[in-house]
Amino acid sequence: MTPRSLPALALRLVLAATLAASGYIHAQLYIDGYRFIHVIGPLFLLQSAAAFAVAALLLLAAPLLLRIAAAAIAIGALAGFATSRTIGLFGFTERGLQPAPQALLSLIAETLTLLIVVAWQAFEVRRHHRTRPHHDGISRVRPDLRTATPDR
């Protein structure tokens, strides 16, 4: 393993762990009673399945598409959390950080997931800029064809 790939491996493993944690929390809540809540129950199950699937795939590889999927899962869970505590979601509302401690742990896992994806993207951009050949400042503009003398 090269030193350059070590940060990417670490980011991949931590990202998979935060996604799996979010999936586990949602699965636990589903089993503990959310399965009986119309629409919300199936959404918890869907979030859990998607989080576990993307986490498992991240253990194998981490293309941009999987990182985007991880961010989308986290954003969806956070949006559902916020909506259920403000205007309600499909007629379902909750207050504060209930159920405890799952609500807080879920917020932490999903926020970390987003932060890791952002950090990873920043790492990739920096790595790309370091490996890209430097521009020497010479313009690559074609010569003005109007001033060229025609060949006879």
Side-chain angles (χ1 to χ4, degrees):
M1 177 176 303
T2 64
R4 189 179 283 174
S5 65
L6 188 60
L9 176 63
L11 286 170
R12 196 172 81 197
L13 294 175
V14 174
L15 182 58
T18 60
L19 266 179
S22 175
Y24 175 81
I25 292 165
H26 281 81
Q28 180 189 33
L29 289 171
Y30 176 82
I31 290 168
D32 288 346
Y34 279 59
R35 67 177 175 242
F36 300 114
I37 303 170
H38 181 67
V39 181
I40 299 300
L43 288 175
F44 267 64
L45 190 59
L46 178 63
Q47 191 280 348
S48 179
F52 280 130
V54 172
L57 290 171
L58 281 167
L59 293 176
L60 302 173
L64 179 60
L65 183 61
L66 281 181
R67 296 191 312 261
I68 291 170
I73 291 166
I75 289 169
L78 290 169
F81 183 90
T83 305
S84 72
R85 279 147 179 82
T86 53
I87 60 173
L89 186 62
F90 302 108
F92 177 75
T93 57
E94 288 188 302
R95 301 279 179 241
L97 292 176
Q98 296 302 318
Q102 293 92 341
L104 179 59
L105 294 174
S106 179
L107 283 174
I108 292 169
E110 286 130 18
T111 301
L112 284 174
T113 296
L114 287 177
L115 290 174
I116 292 164
V117 169
V118 168
W120 193 333
Q121 197 57 35
F123 170 77
E124 289 294 323
V125 167
R126 259 186 51 203
R127 187 172 65 99
H128 176 71
H129 284 302
R130 266 191 263 131
T131 59
R132 193 174 74 185
H134 293 293
H135 190 271
D136 60 4
I138 298 172
S139 175
R140 305 275 189 240
V141 178
R142 290 178 39 196
D144 188 358
L145 298 176
R146 292 175 291 168
T147 59
T149 56
D151 292 333
R152 292 184 193 205

